Amino acid sequence: MQHPSAPVAPPAVVAAASQAAEAALKAGAPAVQIAVSQRGQIIYSAAFGMSDRESATAATPRSVLQTGSITKQFAAAGILRLAERGALSLDDRIEKHVPEFNPRGATITLRHLLSHTSGLTGLSPDPYSPVTRAGLIKLIDGQPLVSTPGSKWSYNNNGYRLLGYAIESITGMSFAEFVHRELAVPLGLIDTGVCGTNNVPVPDGYGMVQGTWVRIPAIHMSVPFAAGSLCSTTSDLARWSHLLATGRVVLPESYAMMTTTTRLNDNSLTPYGLGLFTQNMLGQPAASHTGGISGFQSSLIYLSEKDIAVAVMINAFPAPPGVSAHGIALAVAGAALATP
């Protein structure tokens, strides 16, 4: 349904969103939530299907869903804000701020962690059991580096977990409280926060397992932590993209670093900046990220030249190919670009 407070959306955007969402529902997705902002104003906000099948609860634009790895944008922005204050340098070695971590002779900087070039193991703990800071660091320390820091791009959640611990060490706040006080409240992101904290719920999602759609209980949020523990709505995420890009979250020079493609030691390019993918999309410069976490998938695309943001979340992961938050986001972004 269309959010009653949203302005009249361009017909092409409405049609593209409705068509893509209904196709996902037909393929079995319980709910699809979509929002589009232009120059910071939400021009479309809608939800389709059910946020909870068992209780037949209809999804709304205010239904809070898990974002998964879109969390990394918030963690990266937090690190850059602390750098702006002089609390850290991106070229600090991680053990300066997380002294329990043993780099075993390697130089692993905050910049390496932000850009997924740290060479750390990708091994993760049991998602349904709580993990402590000490336990997670012990797990990482127990595995050899998979590559020399700076030599290879490899998407890595453990790097962002360590960044979250660095934020906690520097600020004296939990990562959840830092997101709440530093980002969500000042920016008016009223439905955004670490799942299960500050009145933000921990929703369950759904997934296709052995050909059958099943309810998937939420994992313990200490496990994804700063790599994937945020919950939000697509309206909040679309607004966040605009605010991040226009100096409301970090300084313009910090955002430029976030959206500048990382170079490896051999001078080759990666697809990633600091917390954001940086490839062109639909013929436009784009800053984007997707998320996939048990029961949920998400996509957030920001087209800088047009100041258009498109956010999509679906409470279905794993899911068949016909259920794709990123596919829907691309379709809706294309319609928004085509609108005069």
Side-chain angles (χ1 to χ4, degrees):
M1 66 180 182
Q2 181 74 31
H3 195 294
S5 64
V8 177
V13 170
V14 175
S18 300
Q19 182 178 354
E22 294 297 342
L25 295 184
K26 187 175 181 180
V32 179
Q33 191 183 79
I34 305 171
V36 181
S37 74
Q38 188 164 30
R39 293 183 292 278
Q41 181 183 33
I42 299 296
I43 63 169
Y44 179 80
S45 177
F48 306 79
M50 291 177 287
S51 60
D52 188 297
R53 278 180 162 170
E54 288 70 26
S55 62
T57 302
T60 76
R62 290 288 304 278
S63 298
V64 171
L65 304 174
Q66 294 189 40
T67 72
S69 285
I70 289 174
T71 302
K72 292 180 174 70
Q73 296 185 31
F74 289 76
I79 290 288
L80 285 161
R81 286 186 80 154
L82 293 174
E84 291 169 2
R85 295 173 188 169
L88 60 85
S89 164
L90 298 189
D91 295 315
D92 285 345
R93 296 165 69 119
I94 180 58
E95 65 268 27
K96 178 177 180 180
H97 305 292
V98 186
E100 318 96 298
F101 175 71
N102 179 10
R104 289 153 290 172
T107 298
I108 302 173
T109 66
L110 301 181
R111 193 184 303 274
H112 287 138
L113 300 173
L114 287 164
S115 60
H116 297 297
T117 59
S118 66
L120 291 175
T121 176
L123 185 66
S124 289
D126 174 6
Y128 287 98
S129 298
V131 64
T132 63
R133 173 173 171 144
L136 194 280
I137 291 172
K138 181 179 179 181
L139 173 71
I140 301 172
D141 280 348
Q143 300 295 317
L145 293 179
V146 296
S147 60
T148 301
S151 68
K152 182 180 179 181
W153 185 83
S154 181
Y155 191 82
N156 189 287
N157 288 319
N158 284 332
Y160 272 78
R161 291 171 173 131
L162 290 176
L163 290 168
Y165 296 143
I167 288 171
E168 292 187 335
S169 293
I170 292 166
T171 65
M173 290 186 275
S174 68
F175 178 69
E177 199 61 24
F178 178 82
V179 169
H180 180 68
R181 292 187 189 181
E182 287 273 341
L183 302 175
V185 171
L187 297 173
L189 305 177
I190 59 175
D191 295 317
T192 298
V194 169
C195 306
T197 68
N198 297 298
N199 297 316
V200 178
V202 186
D204 290 345
Y206 299 84
M208 180 167 278
V209 179
Q210 296 180 343
T212 302
W213 284 99
V214 298
R215 187 181 183 97
I216 298 182
I219 67 175
H220 198 279
M221 287 300 141
S222 64
V223 178
F225 187 49
S229 63
L230 254 64
C231 283
S232 189
T233 63
T234 52
S235 291
D236 269 10
L237 292 179
R239 289 186 58 243
W240 160 262
S241 277
H242 167 80
L243 295 169
L244 182 61
T246 55
R248 292 285 303 280
V249 182
V250 295
L251 296 173
E253 49 266 39
S254 294
Y255 185 70
M257 286 192 285
M258 293 182 74
T259 54
T260 297
T261 302
T262 300
R263 287 189 179 273
L264 298 175
N265 296 343
D266 65 2
N267 215 35
S268 61
L269 296 176
T270 76
Y272 208 81
L274 307 179
L276 289 163
F277 284 93
T278 57
Q279 309 104 311
N280 280 14
M281 291 183 180
L282 304 170
Q284 298 284 323
S288 68
H289 218 291
T290 57
I293 194 167
S294 295
F296 297 87
Q297 57 175 294
S298 59
S299 179
L300 181 56
I301 298 172
Y302 180 73
L303 303 171
S304 57
E305 289 187 352
K306 303 293 185 180
D307 195 3
I308 290 172
V310 178
V312 178
M313 288 197 283
I314 304 177
N315 56 348
F317 190 78
V323 179
S324 168
H326 191 57
I328 294 174
L330 285 171
V332 174
L337 285 172
T339 300

